[in-house]
Amino acid sequence: MAQAEAHTEARQYPIRLYLVVWGWLFVLSACSYLVDYFGLVGYLRWSLILTFMMLKAGLIVAVFMHMAWERLALTYAILVPPLVLLVFAGIMVFESEHTLFTRVFYFAAGS
C-alpha cells in the first residue's frame, strides 16, 4: 500500500523557479521583438530569431514539461529525434545548393 501512495505523490517545485523562467521568457520574447523593431535583415535577423526561439523552447521543455528532472533515457528519447531531423534538414539545404549550382553551371555552359 505504501508503494501505491508513493507513486501518487506529486513533486512540488519552488514558485521562484517558475517566476525566473517566466522572466527569462519575457526577456527573450522582448529581444525577439526588438530584432524586428530595429529592422535587422538577412541572415542576422533569422539567426537571432531562431536562436531566441530555440532558447525559449528549451526553457519551456526543461522546466514546464519537467524534462530537467526526468531520467536521461527519456530525455534522449524525446530530444534526439528532432535534433536528428534538424541535421537532415541541414544536409538537404547543402544538397539543394549543390544541385542549384550544378544546374546553373550546366545550363549556362550549354547556351
Side-chain angles (χ1 to χ4, degrees), residues 3-35:
Q3 186 178 14
E5 291 175 9
H7 287 294
T8 60
E9 183 179 321
R11 293 183 185 174
Q12 294 292 324
Y13 300 103
I15 191 73
R16 183 177 188 279
L17 171 70
Y18 294 106
L19 294 175
V20 168
V21 170
W22 283 334
W24 276 109
L25 288 172
F26 177 78
V27 168
L28 290 170
S29 294
C31 290
S32 182
Y33 172 76
L34 289 174
V35 167

Side-chain angles (χ1 to χ4, degrees), residues 56-96:
K56 290 190 298 186
L59 278 172
I60 290 168
V61 167
V63 177
F64 294 114
M65 295 177 68
H66 303 277
M67 192 59 61
W69 301 282
E70 292 295 334
R71 289 181 297 175
L72 194 57
L74 181 61
T75 302
Y76 284 156
I78 292 173
L79 296 180
V80 170
L83 292 176
V84 170
L85 287 175
L86 283 174
V87 169
F88 285 145
I91 291 171
M92 290 188 319
V93 167
F94 287 121
E95 192 272 335
S96 67

